[in-house]
Short mmCIF file of all heavy atoms in Angstrom, two decimals:
data_model
loop_
_atom_site.label_atom_id
_atom_site.label_comp_id
_atom_site.label_asym_id
_atom_site.label_seq_id
_atom_site.Cartn_x
_atom_site.Cartn_y
_atom_site.Cartn_z
N GLY A 749 -1.66 -11.24 -0.35
CA GLY A 749 -1.11 -10.91 1.00
C GLY A 749 -1.78 -11.79 2.01
O GLY A 749 -2.20 -12.91 1.74
N VAL A 750 -1.85 -11.29 3.28
CA VAL A 750 -2.34 -12.08 4.36
C VAL A 750 -2.93 -11.23 5.49
O VAL A 750 -2.50 -10.10 5.69
CB VAL A 750 -1.25 -12.99 4.97
CG1 VAL A 750 -0.09 -12.13 5.57
CG2 VAL A 750 -1.74 -13.98 5.94
N LYS A 751 -4.00 -11.70 6.17
CA LYS A 751 -4.49 -11.08 7.34
C LYS A 751 -4.17 -11.93 8.57
O LYS A 751 -4.56 -13.15 8.60
CB LYS A 751 -5.99 -10.94 7.25
CG LYS A 751 -6.48 -9.99 6.18
CD LYS A 751 -8.05 -9.90 6.14
CE LYS A 751 -8.52 -9.03 4.97
NZ LYS A 751 -9.96 -8.99 4.94
N ALA A 752 -3.38 -11.44 9.49
CA ALA A 752 -2.88 -12.24 10.55
C ALA A 752 -2.66 -11.40 11.83
O ALA A 752 -2.06 -10.32 11.71
CB ALA A 752 -1.61 -13.03 10.18
N GLY A 753 -3.12 -11.86 12.96
CA GLY A 753 -2.86 -11.12 14.23
C GLY A 753 -3.40 -9.68 14.21
O GLY A 753 -2.81 -8.84 14.85
N GLY A 754 -4.55 -9.49 13.54
CA GLY A 754 -5.14 -8.18 13.48
C GLY A 754 -4.54 -7.27 12.49
O GLY A 754 -4.89 -6.13 12.44
N SER A 755 -3.48 -7.70 11.78
CA SER A 755 -2.86 -6.82 10.78
C SER A 755 -3.13 -7.32 9.37
O SER A 755 -3.40 -8.51 9.19
CB SER A 755 -1.34 -6.77 10.99
OG SER A 755 -1.00 -6.17 12.23
N ILE A 756 -3.05 -6.35 8.45
CA ILE A 756 -3.21 -6.67 6.99
C ILE A 756 -1.92 -6.38 6.29
O ILE A 756 -1.49 -5.23 6.34
CB ILE A 756 -4.37 -5.90 6.37
CG1 ILE A 756 -5.69 -6.28 7.05
CG2 ILE A 756 -4.48 -6.23 4.85
CD1 ILE A 756 -6.93 -5.50 6.51
N ILE A 757 -1.31 -7.37 5.64
CA ILE A 757 -0.08 -7.18 4.85
C ILE A 757 -0.45 -7.33 3.34
O ILE A 757 -1.01 -8.37 3.01
CB ILE A 757 1.02 -8.17 5.29
CG1 ILE A 757 1.37 -8.01 6.75
CG2 ILE A 757 2.28 -7.92 4.37
CD1 ILE A 757 2.32 -9.07 7.25
N GLN A 758 -0.14 -6.34 2.56
CA GLN A 758 -0.40 -6.37 1.16
C GLN A 758 0.88 -6.32 0.29
O GLN A 758 1.92 -5.67 0.67
CB GLN A 758 -1.30 -5.12 0.79
CG GLN A 758 -2.63 -5.10 1.43
CD GLN A 758 -3.33 -3.78 1.34
OE1 GLN A 758 -2.63 -2.73 1.72
NE2 GLN A 758 -4.51 -3.72 0.86
N LYS A 759 0.91 -7.11 -0.71
CA LYS A 759 2.05 -7.20 -1.60
C LYS A 759 1.54 -7.16 -3.03
O LYS A 759 0.61 -7.92 -3.43
CB LYS A 759 2.81 -8.46 -1.36
CG LYS A 759 4.03 -8.67 -2.29
CD LYS A 759 4.55 -10.12 -2.21
CE LYS A 759 3.57 -11.09 -2.84
NZ LYS A 759 4.09 -12.48 -2.79
N GLY A 760 2.07 -6.32 -3.89
CA GLY A 760 1.66 -6.29 -5.30
C GLY A 760 2.32 -5.17 -6.12
O GLY A 760 3.23 -4.54 -5.68
N ALA A 761 1.69 -4.90 -7.25
CA ALA A 761 2.18 -3.80 -8.10
C ALA A 761 2.09 -2.53 -7.37
O ALA A 761 1.10 -2.30 -6.61
CB ALA A 761 1.36 -3.75 -9.40
N VAL A 762 3.06 -1.61 -7.60
CA VAL A 762 3.12 -0.40 -6.85
C VAL A 762 1.82 0.39 -6.95
O VAL A 762 1.24 0.83 -5.93
CB VAL A 762 4.29 0.49 -7.33
CG1 VAL A 762 4.33 1.84 -6.65
CG2 VAL A 762 5.64 -0.20 -6.98
N ASP A 763 1.36 0.62 -8.16
CA ASP A 763 0.13 1.41 -8.38
C ASP A 763 -1.05 0.78 -7.69
O ASP A 763 -1.94 1.44 -7.13
CB ASP A 763 -0.15 1.61 -9.81
CG ASP A 763 0.86 2.55 -10.50
OD1 ASP A 763 1.55 3.25 -9.87
OD2 ASP A 763 0.99 2.45 -11.78
N SER A 764 -1.10 -0.58 -7.74
CA SER A 764 -2.25 -1.27 -7.08
C SER A 764 -2.26 -1.11 -5.60
O SER A 764 -3.33 -0.94 -5.01
CB SER A 764 -2.15 -2.77 -7.50
OG SER A 764 -2.26 -2.91 -8.90
N VAL A 765 -1.04 -1.22 -4.97
CA VAL A 765 -0.98 -1.13 -3.53
C VAL A 765 -1.39 0.34 -3.09
O VAL A 765 -2.13 0.54 -2.12
CB VAL A 765 0.38 -1.45 -3.01
CG1 VAL A 765 0.60 -1.08 -1.57
CG2 VAL A 765 0.71 -2.95 -3.22
N LEU A 766 -0.89 1.37 -3.87
CA LEU A 766 -1.26 2.68 -3.50
C LEU A 766 -2.75 2.93 -3.70
O LEU A 766 -3.37 3.69 -2.91
CB LEU A 766 -0.42 3.66 -4.36
CG LEU A 766 1.08 3.66 -4.11
CD1 LEU A 766 1.84 4.63 -5.03
CD2 LEU A 766 1.41 4.10 -2.64
N ARG A 767 -3.30 2.41 -4.74
CA ARG A 767 -4.76 2.57 -5.06
C ARG A 767 -5.58 1.94 -3.94
O ARG A 767 -6.68 2.41 -3.65
CB ARG A 767 -5.02 2.05 -6.40
CG ARG A 767 -6.50 2.34 -6.86
CD ARG A 767 -6.64 2.13 -8.36
NE ARG A 767 -6.23 0.78 -8.78
CZ ARG A 767 -5.13 0.57 -9.54
NH1 ARG A 767 -4.36 1.60 -9.99
NH2 ARG A 767 -4.77 -0.66 -9.88
N ALA A 768 -5.12 0.82 -3.36
CA ALA A 768 -5.83 0.11 -2.39
C ALA A 768 -5.82 0.78 -1.06
O ALA A 768 -6.60 0.40 -0.08
CB ALA A 768 -5.30 -1.38 -2.18
N ASN A 769 -4.93 1.79 -0.90
CA ASN A 769 -4.83 2.50 0.37
C ASN A 769 -4.99 4.01 0.08
O ASN A 769 -3.89 4.68 -0.09
CB ASN A 769 -3.51 2.23 1.07
CG ASN A 769 -3.31 0.81 1.47
OD1 ASN A 769 -3.78 0.35 2.51
ND2 ASN A 769 -2.75 -0.09 0.57
N PRO A 770 -6.19 4.51 -0.03
CA PRO A 770 -6.37 6.02 -0.36
C PRO A 770 -5.61 6.91 0.61
O PRO A 770 -5.57 6.68 1.84
CB PRO A 770 -7.91 6.17 -0.17
CG PRO A 770 -8.44 4.78 -0.40
CD PRO A 770 -7.44 3.84 0.22
N GLY A 771 -4.96 7.88 0.02
CA GLY A 771 -4.19 8.86 0.68
C GLY A 771 -2.77 8.58 0.90
O GLY A 771 -1.92 9.39 1.25
N LEU A 772 -2.44 7.30 0.66
CA LEU A 772 -1.04 6.84 0.82
C LEU A 772 -0.12 7.45 -0.23
O LEU A 772 1.06 7.69 0.00
CB LEU A 772 -0.93 5.27 0.80
CG LEU A 772 0.25 4.66 1.36
CD1 LEU A 772 0.42 5.05 2.83
CD2 LEU A 772 0.13 3.09 1.24
N ASP A 773 -0.73 7.73 -1.37
CA ASP A 773 0.12 8.23 -2.51
C ASP A 773 0.65 9.63 -2.23
O ASP A 773 1.68 10.03 -2.82
CB ASP A 773 -0.79 8.29 -3.77
CG ASP A 773 0.08 8.42 -5.02
OD1 ASP A 773 1.35 8.10 -4.98
OD2 ASP A 773 -0.37 8.82 -6.09
N ALA A 774 0.06 10.39 -1.25
CA ALA A 774 0.54 11.75 -1.00
C ALA A 774 1.54 11.75 0.17
O ALA A 774 1.94 12.87 0.55
CB ALA A 774 -0.69 12.58 -0.63
N THR A 775 1.99 10.68 0.61
CA THR A 775 2.96 10.67 1.76
C THR A 775 4.43 10.71 1.29
O THR A 775 4.70 10.34 0.14
CB THR A 775 2.75 9.45 2.59
OG1 THR A 775 3.07 8.24 1.82
CG2 THR A 775 1.32 9.40 3.07
N PRO A 776 5.32 11.17 2.09
CA PRO A 776 6.83 11.17 1.78
C PRO A 776 7.27 9.70 1.45
O PRO A 776 8.11 9.52 0.57
CB PRO A 776 7.47 11.70 2.96
CG PRO A 776 6.39 12.55 3.69
CD PRO A 776 5.08 11.90 3.45
N ALA A 777 6.68 8.79 2.11
CA ALA A 777 7.07 7.33 1.88
C ALA A 777 6.75 6.94 0.40
O ALA A 777 7.53 6.20 -0.26
CB ALA A 777 6.41 6.39 2.81
N ALA A 778 5.60 7.43 -0.10
CA ALA A 778 5.19 7.10 -1.50
C ALA A 778 6.20 7.78 -2.48
O ALA A 778 6.52 7.15 -3.48
CB ALA A 778 3.77 7.60 -1.71
N ASP A 779 6.65 9.00 -2.19
CA ASP A 779 7.59 9.68 -2.99
C ASP A 779 8.93 8.89 -3.04
O ASP A 779 9.54 8.67 -4.10
CB ASP A 779 7.88 11.14 -2.50
CG ASP A 779 6.70 12.02 -2.69
OD1 ASP A 779 5.83 11.72 -3.52
OD2 ASP A 779 6.60 12.98 -1.92
N ALA A 780 9.35 8.46 -1.86
CA ALA A 780 10.59 7.61 -1.84
C ALA A 780 10.35 6.27 -2.59
O ALA A 780 11.31 5.81 -3.23
CB ALA A 780 10.94 7.31 -0.37
N LEU A 781 9.17 5.76 -2.47
CA LEU A 781 8.89 4.47 -3.21
C LEU A 781 8.95 4.66 -4.65
O LEU A 781 9.53 3.84 -5.41
CB LEU A 781 7.55 3.98 -2.75
CG LEU A 781 7.10 2.61 -3.37
CD1 LEU A 781 8.01 1.51 -2.96
CD2 LEU A 781 5.69 2.24 -3.03
#
């Protein structure tokens, strides 16, 4: 990914992205994903 303008954008395997962001797996967006 990239860090730019104060933001962090991550791209990768679904499980890896969810694991890198604790708590994200329990959100409605994760269910839709």
Side-chain angles (χ1 to χ4, degrees):
V750 64
K751 295 179 182 178
S755 294
I756 298 177
I757 302 174
Q758 297 166 307
K759 177 193 71 177
V762 174
D763 292 342
S764 299
V765 171
L766 293 176
R767 189 165 51 248
N769 296 274
L772 199 57
D773 196 19
T775 64
D779 292 336
L781 182 64

